[in-house]
């Protein structure tokens, strides 16, 4: 009988933990970085975990934050729902080539999921191959989601809850603090930390670039399909809170009852409020997310970055060519769009619809009404915010910014997904052979593309330069296109960038 792999023990500031040797890497899973956020700590900033005596087992993932079932995520990869536990959700995972005295680059991953779903234990984010192949230390983080992480209660519950609208961000900061204090014991360099994330995770990275108290906890940043926009102000956030209270049947004067509401009831209420807000298509469609509260965030990340926040942090940012198709293809309510519906939709985004429609028709391979709507969704939510953030950083004296777009198209579902939202994830983590991935990518996704992405991300984490393409500036606007044959282009979506300028000037 083959011997099981040996265990390995590492000391942390709160106690020793036991991980597992995997062959080319070591894994430490479910490591607590904060105390259970329950009881009087629900809706409060994260607190340090209690130290433990002896060796704590860290050979299995910890539970995810409370969340409702994500049918789209299940359709993407076929993975079952995450195990959840409000008390034990503030945990992280570490993969390292060796818990030794080396000082390897550290890459801390923040998962996406619209601030409502997701987990650092998603199998797609297994960091073993990324760590082993590129000699980096990979960390994935669980943080509070939905109402548990972003319900603004400062006006109703007073001083002790002023930070409640950004608890998910504070959890992430607590994880970064844990990395600073402990990662050297895992062979990582606490002075060379790259914070990277996708979708809501990238949104979070932008928020940390803008948040003064996050400064110094990371030194490089990668935003995949993220945004520096779309935050709530306190007025909008308070409206969401009132809607949640109404759904729960709680008078705002008795909002303290939220501390005792069963998590299942709170999840049900947040689901109703989230769906209603999305259906109304308000300016901030996400019911839960970062709040400009004057404390954690003193302005929108885009505005703060334009003013110079985080200018000393090298940055990679980009989006996928067909972001919106994930939402139209996987949405069972999406169907053919009548031609007559296009003009009002594009007018709402750009004012005059004719030049906008002409620009999209000139760039998009699918110019059917549904194809144009998918492109509009993807551009408004992801590609345009990326362009604006790249332009903001390129206009500053500071560290470099590199822009990319991921254009390799999935062959799954008869090719209807294209290069949709989230498609780059198994390539970045080099997990193309993972069970279920081909449901999303199609058969035989190209390993060479994963090799290119991994090398670029790791080189950036190591040196602050991905090495494959020039930095972005306002003259050439160099953009790396990851595709069957990856190549560099100049200002590839100029027509849409000029539309942005017109829309912003309105």
């Amino acid at each position: 009988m083959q011997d099981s792999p040996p265990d390995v023990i590492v000391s942390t500031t709160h106690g020793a933990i036991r991980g597992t040797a995997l062959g080319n890497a070591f894994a430490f899973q479910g490591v607590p970085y904060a105390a259970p956020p329950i009881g009087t700590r629900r809706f409060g900033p994260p607190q340090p975990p209690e130290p433990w005596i002896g060796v704590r087992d860290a050979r299995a993932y910890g539970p995810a934050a409370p969340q409702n079932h994500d049918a789209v995520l299940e359709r993407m990869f076929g993975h079952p729902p995450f195990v959840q536990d409000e008390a034990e959700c503030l945990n992280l995972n570490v993969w390292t080539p060796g818990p030794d005295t080396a000082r390897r680059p550290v890459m801390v991953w923040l998962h996406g999921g619209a601030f409502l779903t997701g987990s650092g234990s998603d199998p797609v984010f297994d960091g073993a191959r990324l760590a082993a192949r590129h000699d980096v230390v990979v960390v994935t983080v669980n943080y509070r989601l939905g109402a548990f992480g972003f319900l603004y209660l400062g006006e109703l519950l007073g001083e002790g809850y002023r930070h409640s609208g950004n608890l998910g961000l504070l959890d992430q900061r607590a994880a970064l603090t844990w990395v600073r204090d402990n990662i050297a014991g895992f062979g990582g360099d606490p002075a060379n930390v790259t914070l990277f994330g996708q979708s809501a995770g990238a949104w979070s990275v932008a928020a940390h670039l803008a948040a003064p108290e996050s400064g110094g906890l990371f030194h490089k940043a990668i935003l995949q399909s993220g945004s520096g926009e779309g935050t709530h102000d306190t007025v909008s956030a308070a409206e969401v809170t009132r809607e949640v209270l109404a759904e729960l049947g709680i008078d705002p004067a008795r909002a303290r009852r939220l501390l005792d509401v069963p998590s299942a009831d709170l999840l049900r209420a947040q689901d109703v409020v989230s769906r209603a807000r999305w259906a109304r298509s308000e300016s901030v469609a996400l019911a839960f997310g970062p709040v400009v509260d004057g404390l954690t965030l003193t302005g929108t990340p885009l505005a703060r970055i334009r003013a110079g926040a985080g200018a000393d942090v090298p940055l990679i940012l980009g989006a996928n060519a067909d972001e919106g198709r994930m939402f139209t293809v996987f949405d069972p309510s999406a169907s053919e769009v009548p031609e007559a519906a296009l003009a009002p939709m594009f007018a709402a985004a750009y004012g005059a619809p004719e030049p906008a429609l002409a620009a999209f028709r000139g760039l998009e391979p699918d110019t059917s009404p549904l194809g144009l709507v998918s492109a509009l969704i993807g551009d408004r939510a992801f590609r345009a915010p990326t362009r604006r953030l790249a332009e903001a950083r390129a206009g500053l004296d500071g560290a470099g910014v590199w822009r990319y777009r991921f254009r390799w198209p999935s062959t799954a579902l008869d090719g209807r997904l294209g290069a949709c939202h989230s498609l780059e994830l198994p390539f970045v983590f080099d997990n193309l052979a993972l069970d279920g991935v081909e449901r999303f990518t199609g058969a035989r996704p190209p390993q060479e593309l994963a090799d290119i992405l991994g090398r670029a991300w790791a080189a950036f984490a190591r040196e602050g330069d991905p090495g494959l393409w020039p930095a972005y500036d306002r003259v050439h606007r160099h953009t790396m296109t990851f595709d069957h044959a990856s190549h560099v282009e100049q200002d590839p979506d100029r027509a849409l960038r000029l539309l942005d300028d017109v829309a912003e000037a309105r």
Side-chain angles (χ1 to χ4, degrees), residues 75-120:
R75 287 194 66 187
M76 286 164 59
F77 298 110
H79 297 148
F82 305 113
V83 175
Q84 305 170 32
D85 187 335
E86 183 181 1
E88 303 298 330
C89 68
L90 298 185
N91 60 77
L92 53 77
N93 312 294
V94 181
W95 291 267
T96 176
D100 48 32
T101 58
R103 288 294 181 265
R104 299 177 180 87
V106 182
M107 302 181 70
V108 179
W109 174 256
L110 303 179
H111 69 78
F115 297 107
L116 292 172
T117 62
S119 174

Side-chain angles (χ1 to χ4, degrees), residues 378-415:
D379 197 71
R380 294 296 84 199
F382 303 106
R383 297 188 314 191
T386 296
R387 287 195 297 273
R388 288 190 283 268
L389 197 54
E391 290 286 304
R393 276 297 302 264
L396 300 173
D397 292 328
V401 55
W402 287 263
R403 187 170 174 231
Y404 77 90
R405 63 174 175 166
F406 186 89
R407 203 173 66 181
W408 182 85
S410 169
T411 59
L413 301 177
D414 299 320

Side-chain angles (χ1 to χ4, degrees), residues 306-480:
R306 278 176 171 163
D312 59 336
V313 178
L315 177 63
I316 290 177
L317 76 170
N320 296 357
D322 305 306
E323 294 274 0
R325 291 200 198 177
M326 192 185 81
F327 305 97
T328 55
V329 171
F330 282 135
D331 183 353
S333 66
S335 59
E336 290 302 314
V337 175
E339 183 78 29
L342 292 176
M345 296 177 74
F346 278 78
Y350 294 105
E354 292 82 5
L357 278 164
F360 274 81
R361 286 190 172 111
L363 289 173
E364 296 300 325
D366 179 3
T367 57
S368 70
L370 183 59
L372 291 171
V373 168
S374 296
L376 180 65
I377 292 170
D379 197 71
R380 294 296 84 199
F382 303 106
R383 297 188 314 191
T386 296
R387 287 195 297 273
R388 288 190 283 268
L389 197 54
E391 290 286 304
R393 276 297 302 264
L396 300 173
D397 292 328
V401 55
W402 287 263
R403 187 170 174 231
Y404 77 90
R405 63 174 175 166
F406 186 89
R407 203 173 66 181
W408 182 85
S410 169
T411 59
L413 301 177
D414 299 320
R416 289 184 293 132
L417 288 170
C420 70
H421 189 63
S422 300
L423 185 63
E424 86 285 7
L425 295 177
F427 291 88
V428 168
F429 282 88
D430 199 2
N431 284 327
L432 297 180
L434 181 72
D435 287 346
V437 163
E438 288 193 358
R439 290 170 53 120
F440 192 39
T441 62
R444 297 180 297 280
Q447 178 61 45
E448 58 271 21
L449 185 52
D451 295 342
I452 290 170
L453 274 165
R455 284 198 302 270
W457 267 220
F460 179 77
R462 185 168 283 106
E463 304 291 345
D465 185 331
L468 295 180
W469 74 100
Y472 187 91
D473 61 46
R474 288 182 171 180
V475 176
H476 301 100
R477 295 183 168 89
H478 292 294
T479 302
M480 182 66 170

